[in-house]
Amino acid sequence: MSVPEEQVAPQAADPLARAAEALRLHTDEGWVRVRQRVVDAALAAVRPARTVSAQHELGRFSVSTDVLTDVVRTALEPLPDAAPTRVVFETGDDDRLTAVRTTLVVAFGADVVEVAEEVRQEVGRVLVEVLGEDGSAGGFPVDVHVGDVSEDRRRL
C-alpha cells in the first residue's frame, strides 16, 4: 500500500531537492579564506626542481634537488630515533651545493646531539657519493634542525 503523495513530508519526498537547497544557502566565504593557500599549494606542487652541479671522472653533470631529497630520505630511513620532515639544498651562483638543511622529527628520549651527528655524517656521506669528490660536495655544512619530538615511533 502506498501513501498518497500529499501526505509525504516535503523534505522526505526529494532528498536531491533538499541537498540542492542546502547548497544554495551555503556561501563562498570559506572558499575566500582558503583560496590563496590552495593556489600556493598547487603552485608549489608543480614547481620544477632546481639542480645541483656535480662532477665525476666522466665530467660535469646536474642532479635535481628532488632526486637529492629522495636520496637523503632513503639514507636516513634506517635511523631508529629520527626521520626527516624537510630537506633543503642551498646552492651558489654556479649551482654547486653550499649547504644542506635537514629538519627532523626525533623520538622522545633520544639523545638529540647523537642523532644530529649521525644525520650530519650520513647526509654528508651520501651526497658526496652522489655528487662526487671535486669539492662541489665535500665542503658544505649539513645543518640539522629538530622540528618535532614524538612519543609515537610510528611517526618516524
Side-chain angles (χ1 to χ4, degrees):
M1 175 171 147
S2 66
V3 177
E5 199 171 311
E6 62 272 359
Q7 291 182 0
V8 175
Q11 66 268 20
D14 190 1
L16 183 59
R18 278 189 332 197
E21 183 60 30
L23 287 173
R24 282 188 201 97
L25 296 174
H26 179 71
T27 66
D28 287 337
E29 188 176 306
W31 165 247
V32 172
R33 284 195 304 263
V34 299
R35 178 179 52 204
Q36 191 57 50
R37 284 186 291 176
V38 171
V39 170
D40 290 344
L43 289 174
V46 296
R47 180 178 30 198
R50 295 174 310 146
T51 59
V52 174
S53 179
Q55 177 85 31
H56 61 61
E57 65 275 357
L58 298 176
R60 298 194 59 68
F61 63 100
S62 295
V63 181
S64 163
T65 54
D66 286 347
V67 170
L68 293 176
T69 298
D70 187 57
V71 165
V72 168
R73 287 181 183 276
T74 300
L76 298 179
E77 271 180 13
L79 294 179
D81 292 327
T85 56
R86 187 166 189 221
V87 181
V88 177
F89 300 93
E90 295 179 13
T91 57
D93 292 337
D94 57 356
D95 291 333
R96 290 182 185 262
L97 188 62
T98 58
V100 180
R101 284 181 286 141
T102 305
T103 304
L104 305 173
V105 57
V106 177
F108 181 79
D111 183 334
V112 175
V113 174
E114 201 174 283
V115 168
E117 187 54 35
E118 193 173 359
V119 168
R120 277 189 198 91
Q121 293 298 318
E122 189 59 21
V123 170
R125 182 198 64 75
V126 74
L127 290 177
V128 166
E129 186 178 294
V130 171
L131 298 175
E133 298 277 357
D134 72 334
S136 64
F140 56 86
V142 177
D143 298 323
V144 178
H145 302 272
V146 176
D148 196 7
V149 176
S150 177
E151 289 183 337
D152 184 359
R153 288 189 178 269
R154 292 173 299 179
R155 287 191 55 205
L156 302 181

PDB file of all heavy atoms in Angstrom, residues 25-45:
ATOM      1  N   LEU A  25      22.014  27.680   0.127  1.00  0.00           N
ATOM      2  CA  LEU A  25      22.143  28.507   1.324  1.00  0.00           C
ATOM      3  C   LEU A  25      23.602  28.706   1.729  1.00  0.00           C
ATOM      4  O   LEU A  25      23.933  29.609   2.472  1.00  0.00           O
ATOM      5  CB  LEU A  25      21.367  27.879   2.486  1.00  0.00           C
ATOM      6  CG  LEU A  25      19.858  27.803   2.286  1.00  0.00           C
ATOM      7  CD1 LEU A  25      19.224  27.034   3.442  1.00  0.00           C
ATOM      8  CD2 LEU A  25      19.256  29.195   2.164  1.00  0.00           C
ATOM      9  N   HIS A  26      24.469  27.836   1.242  1.00  0.00           N
ATOM     10  CA  HIS A  26      25.892  27.912   1.567  1.00  0.00           C
ATOM     11  C   HIS A  26      26.529  29.093   0.843  1.00  0.00           C
ATOM     12  O   HIS A  26      26.251  29.354  -0.305  1.00  0.00           O
ATOM     13  CB  HIS A  26      26.588  26.607   1.151  1.00  0.00           C
ATOM     14  CG  HIS A  26      28.049  26.608   1.412  1.00  0.00           C
ATOM     15  ND1 HIS A  26      28.578  26.542   2.675  1.00  0.00           N
ATOM     16  CD2 HIS A  26      29.097  26.705   0.572  1.00  0.00           C
ATOM     17  CE1 HIS A  26      29.885  26.578   2.598  1.00  0.00           C
ATOM     18  NE2 HIS A  26      30.224  26.674   1.331  1.00  0.00           N
ATOM     19  N   THR A  27      27.421  29.809   1.522  1.00  0.00           N
ATOM     20  CA  THR A  27      28.108  30.929   0.880  1.00  0.00           C
ATOM     21  C   THR A  27      29.541  30.534   0.533  1.00  0.00           C
ATOM     22  O   THR A  27      30.061  29.546   1.017  1.00  0.00           O
ATOM     23  CB  THR A  27      28.144  32.156   1.814  1.00  0.00           C
ATOM     24  OG1 THR A  27      28.965  31.817   2.930  1.00  0.00           O
ATOM     25  CG2 THR A  27      26.759  32.556   2.277  1.00  0.00           C
ATOM     26  N   ASP A  28      30.174  31.346  -0.263  1.00  0.00           N
ATOM     27  CA  ASP A  28      31.556  31.105  -0.664  1.00  0.00           C
ATOM     28  C   ASP A  28      32.562  31.729   0.297  1.00  0.00           C
ATOM     29  O   ASP A  28      33.743  31.782   0.010  1.00  0.00           O
ATOM     30  CB  ASP A  28      31.810  31.672  -2.060  1.00  0.00           C
ATOM     31  CG  ASP A  28      31.152  30.825  -3.137  1.00  0.00           C
ATOM     32  OD1 ASP A  28      30.905  29.645  -2.847  1.00  0.00           O
ATOM     33  OD2 ASP A  28      30.896  31.346  -4.228  1.00  0.00           O
ATOM     34  N   GLU A  29      32.119  32.165   1.451  1.00  0.00           N
ATOM     35  CA  GLU A  29      33.004  32.833   2.402  1.00  0.00           C
ATOM     36  C   GLU A  29      34.184  31.946   2.808  1.00  0.00           C
ATOM     37  O   GLU A  29      35.324  32.391   2.880  1.00  0.00           O
ATOM     38  CB  GLU A  29      32.202  33.235   3.641  1.00  0.00           C
ATOM     39  CG  GLU A  29      32.979  34.091   4.608  1.00  0.00           C
ATOM     40  CD  GLU A  29      32.086  34.526   5.746  1.00  0.00           C
ATOM     41  OE1 GLU A  29      31.017  35.095   5.483  1.00  0.00           O
ATOM     42  OE2 GLU A  29      32.480  34.294   6.894  1.00  0.00           O
ATOM     43  N   GLY A  30      33.940  30.664   3.049  1.00  0.00           N
ATOM     44  CA  GLY A  30      35.018  29.751   3.425  1.00  0.00           C
ATOM     45  C   GLY A  30      36.037  29.600   2.310  1.00  0.00           C
ATOM     46  O   GLY A  30      37.239  29.562   2.550  1.00  0.00           O
ATOM     47  N   TRP A  31      35.562  29.536   1.068  1.00  0.00           N
ATOM     48  CA  TRP A  31      36.473  29.430  -0.062  1.00  0.00           C
ATOM     49  C   TRP A  31      37.373  30.662  -0.147  1.00  0.00           C
ATOM     50  O   TRP A  31      38.565  30.555  -0.399  1.00  0.00           O
ATOM     51  CB  TRP A  31      35.697  29.261  -1.355  1.00  0.00           C
ATOM     52  CG  TRP A  31      36.534  29.512  -2.577  1.00  0.00           C
ATOM     53  CD1 TRP A  31      36.407  30.529  -3.452  1.00  0.00           C
ATOM     54  CD2 TRP A  31      37.643  28.735  -3.030  1.00  0.00           C
ATOM     55  NE1 TRP A  31      37.363  30.442  -4.429  1.00  0.00           N
ATOM     56  CE2 TRP A  31      38.140  29.351  -4.187  1.00  0.00           C
ATOM     57  CE3 TRP A  31      38.279  27.592  -2.559  1.00  0.00           C
ATOM     58  CZ2 TRP A  31      39.225  28.859  -4.889  1.00  0.00           C
ATOM     59  CZ3 TRP A  31      39.363  27.109  -3.265  1.00  0.00           C
ATOM     60  CH2 TRP A  31      39.823  27.732  -4.406  1.00  0.00           C
ATOM     61  N   VAL A  32      36.822  31.833   0.078  1.00  0.00           N
ATOM     62  CA  VAL A  32      37.613  33.063   0.021  1.00  0.00           C
ATOM     63  C   VAL A  32      38.745  33.016   1.044  1.00  0.00           C
ATOM     64  O   VAL A  32      39.862  33.433   0.765  1.00  0.00           O
ATOM     65  CB  VAL A  32      36.714  34.299   0.253  1.00  0.00           C
ATOM     66  CG1 VAL A  32      37.534  35.565   0.393  1.00  0.00           C
ATOM     67  CG2 VAL A  32      35.709  34.430  -0.886  1.00  0.00           C
ATOM     68  N   ARG A  33      38.490  32.453   2.221  1.00  0.00           N
ATOM     69  CA  ARG A  33      39.521  32.365   3.261  1.00  0.00           C
ATOM     70  C   ARG A  33      40.645  31.408   2.886  1.00  0.00           C
ATOM     71  O   ARG A  33      41.793  31.667   3.197  1.00  0.00           O
ATOM     72  CB  ARG A  33      38.905  31.935   4.592  1.00  0.00           C
ATOM     73  CG  ARG A  33      38.160  33.049   5.287  1.00  0.00           C
ATOM     74  CD  ARG A  33      37.886  32.685   6.733  1.00  0.00           C
ATOM     75  NE  ARG A  33      37.167  31.431   6.878  1.00  0.00           N
ATOM     76  CZ  ARG A  33      35.857  31.319   7.041  1.00  0.00           C
ATOM     77  NH1 ARG A  33      35.111  32.390   7.087  1.00  0.00           N
ATOM     78  NH2 ARG A  33      35.297  30.135   7.154  1.00  0.00           N
ATOM     79  N   VAL A  34      40.346  30.300   2.218  1.00  0.00           N
ATOM     80  CA  VAL A  34      41.378  29.302   1.929  1.00  0.00           C
ATOM     81  C   VAL A  34      41.916  29.379   0.504  1.00  0.00           C
ATOM     82  O   VAL A  34      42.886  28.709   0.187  1.00  0.00           O
ATOM     83  CB  VAL A  34      40.866  27.869   2.202  1.00  0.00           C
ATOM     84  CG1 VAL A  34      40.479  27.692   3.640  1.00  0.00           C
ATOM     85  CG2 VAL A  34      39.760  27.486   1.262  1.00  0.00           C
ATOM     86  N   ARG A  35      41.328  30.217  -0.326  1.00  0.00           N
ATOM     87  CA  ARG A  35      41.685  30.257  -1.743  1.00  0.00           C
ATOM     88  C   ARG A  35      43.187  30.441  -1.955  1.00  0.00           C
ATOM     89  O   ARG A  35      43.797  29.710  -2.720  1.00  0.00           O
ATOM     90  CB  ARG A  35      40.908  31.363  -2.448  1.00  0.00           C
ATOM     91  CG  ARG A  35      41.262  31.505  -3.908  1.00  0.00           C
ATOM     92  CD  ARG A  35      40.462  32.578  -4.591  1.00  0.00           C
ATOM     93  NE  ARG A  35      40.568  33.805  -3.829  1.00  0.00           N
ATOM     94  CZ  ARG A  35      39.672  34.787  -3.875  1.00  0.00           C
ATOM     95  NH1 ARG A  35      38.621  34.674  -4.637  1.00  0.00           N
ATOM     96  NH2 ARG A  35      39.830  35.869  -3.171  1.00  0.00           N
ATOM     97  N   GLN A  36      43.821  31.412  -1.293  1.00  0.00           N
ATOM     98  CA  GLN A  36      45.238  31.670  -1.523  1.00  0.00           C
ATOM     99  C   GLN A  36      46.101  30.487  -1.098  1.00  0.00           C
ATOM    100  O   GLN A  36      47.071  30.154  -1.766  1.00  0.00           O
ATOM    101  CB  GLN A  36      45.694  32.938  -0.796  1.00  0.00           C
ATOM    102  CG  GLN A  36      47.077  33.396  -1.213  1.00  0.00           C
ATOM    103  CD  GLN A  36      47.192  33.651  -2.709  1.00  0.00           C
ATOM    104  OE1 GLN A  36      46.383  34.339  -3.303  1.00  0.00           O
ATOM    105  NE2 GLN A  36      48.205  33.069  -3.328  1.00  0.00           N
ATOM    106  N   ARG A  37      45.740  29.827   0.003  1.00  0.00           N
ATOM    107  CA  ARG A  37      46.501  28.648   0.427  1.00  0.00           C
ATOM    108  C   ARG A  37      46.405  27.534  -0.603  1.00  0.00           C
ATOM    109  O   ARG A  37      47.381  26.840  -0.871  1.00  0.00           O
ATOM    110  CB  ARG A  37      46.031  28.151   1.793  1.00  0.00           C
ATOM    111  CG  ARG A  37      46.549  29.017   2.933  1.00  0.00           C
ATOM    112  CD  ARG A  37      46.191  28.408   4.231  1.00  0.00           C
ATOM    113  NE  ARG A  37      44.736  28.535   4.363  1.00  0.00           N
ATOM    114  CZ  ARG A  37      44.010  28.039   5.353  1.00  0.00           C
ATOM    115  NH1 ARG A  37      44.577  27.352   6.278  1.00  0.00           N
ATOM    116  NH2 ARG A  37      42.724  28.216   5.400  1.00  0.00           N
ATOM    117  N   VAL A  38      45.232  27.355  -1.191  1.00  0.00           N
ATOM    118  CA  VAL A  38      45.050  26.310  -2.203  1.00  0.00           C
ATOM    119  C   VAL A  38      45.890  26.633  -3.437  1.00  0.00           C
ATOM    120  O   VAL A  38      46.588  25.773  -3.972  1.00  0.00           O
ATOM    121  CB  VAL A  38      43.556  26.153  -2.575  1.00  0.00           C
ATOM    122  CG1 VAL A  38      43.379  25.244  -3.778  1.00  0.00           C
ATOM    123  CG2 VAL A  38      42.768  25.645  -1.387  1.00  0.00           C
ATOM    124  N   VAL A  39      45.858  27.889  -3.871  1.00  0.00           N
ATOM    125  CA  VAL A  39      46.649  28.299  -5.037  1.00  0.00           C
ATOM    126  C   VAL A  39      48.139  28.140  -4.741  1.00  0.00           C
ATOM    127  O   VAL A  39      48.895  27.609  -5.563  1.00  0.00           O
ATOM    128  CB  VAL A  39      46.317  29.753  -5.434  1.00  0.00           C
ATOM    129  CG1 VAL A  39      47.294  30.280  -6.473  1.00  0.00           C
ATOM    130  CG2 VAL A  39      44.888  29.835  -5.958  1.00  0.00           C
ATOM    131  N   ASP A  40      48.599  28.566  -3.568  1.00  0.00           N
ATOM    132  CA  ASP A  40      50.010  28.430  -3.201  1.00  0.00           C
ATOM    133  C   ASP A  40      50.446  26.967  -3.178  1.00  0.00           C
ATOM    134  O   ASP A  40      51.530  26.621  -3.644  1.00  0.00           O
ATOM    135  CB  ASP A  40      50.281  29.069  -1.831  1.00  0.00           C
ATOM    136  CG  ASP A  40      50.181  30.583  -1.865  1.00  0.00           C
ATOM    137  OD1 ASP A  40      50.199  31.157  -2.972  1.00  0.00           O
ATOM    138  OD2 ASP A  40      50.078  31.182  -0.774  1.00  0.00           O
ATOM    139  N   ALA A  41      49.604  26.108  -2.628  1.00  0.00           N
ATOM    140  CA  ALA A  41      49.936  24.681  -2.579  1.00  0.00           C
ATOM    141  C   ALA A  41      50.020  24.101  -3.989  1.00  0.00           C
ATOM    142  O   ALA A  41      50.915  23.305  -4.280  1.00  0.00           O
ATOM    143  CB  ALA A  41      48.903  23.923  -1.748  1.00  0.00           C
ATOM    144  N   ALA A  42      49.116  24.491  -4.867  1.00  0.00           N
ATOM    145  CA  ALA A  42      49.150  23.991  -6.241  1.00  0.00           C
ATOM    146  C   ALA A  42      50.410  24.458  -6.963  1.00  0.00           C
ATOM    147  O   ALA A  42      51.063  23.688  -7.658  1.00  0.00           O
ATOM    148  CB  ALA A  42      47.903  24.448  -6.997  1.00  0.00           C
ATOM    149  N   LEU A  43      50.765  25.717  -6.780  1.00  0.00           N
ATOM    150  CA  LEU A  43      51.976  26.227  -7.419  1.00  0.00           C
ATOM    151  C   LEU A  43      53.221  25.531  -6.886  1.00  0.00           C
ATOM    152  O   LEU A  43      54.148  25.235  -7.640  1.00  0.00           O
ATOM    153  CB  LEU A  43      52.087  27.740  -7.210  1.00  0.00           C
ATOM    154  CG  LEU A  43      51.075  28.577  -7.991  1.00  0.00           C
ATOM    155  CD1 LEU A  43      51.185  30.039  -7.591  1.00  0.00           C
ATOM    156  CD2 LEU A  43      51.271  28.416  -9.486  1.00  0.00           C
ATOM    157  N   ALA A  44      53.259  25.273  -5.590  1.00  0.00           N
ATOM    158  CA  ALA A  44      54.415  24.595  -5.001  1.00  0.00           C
ATOM    159  C   ALA A  44      54.511  23.164  -5.503  1.00  0.00           C
ATOM    160  O   ALA A  44      55.605  22.635  -5.676  1.00  0.00           O
ATOM    161  CB  ALA A  44      54.319  24.618  -3.476  1.00  0.00           C
ATOM    162  N   ALA A  45      53.388  22.528  -5.753  1.00  0.00           N
ATOM    163  CA  ALA A  45      53.383  21.129  -6.179  1.00  0.00           C
ATOM    164  C   ALA A  45      53.916  20.958  -7.591  1.00  0.00           C
ATOM    165  O   ALA A  45      54.494  19.942  -7.918  1.00  0.00           O
ATOM    166  CB  ALA A  45      51.971  20.563  -6.083  1.00  0.00           C
TER     167      ALA A  45
END
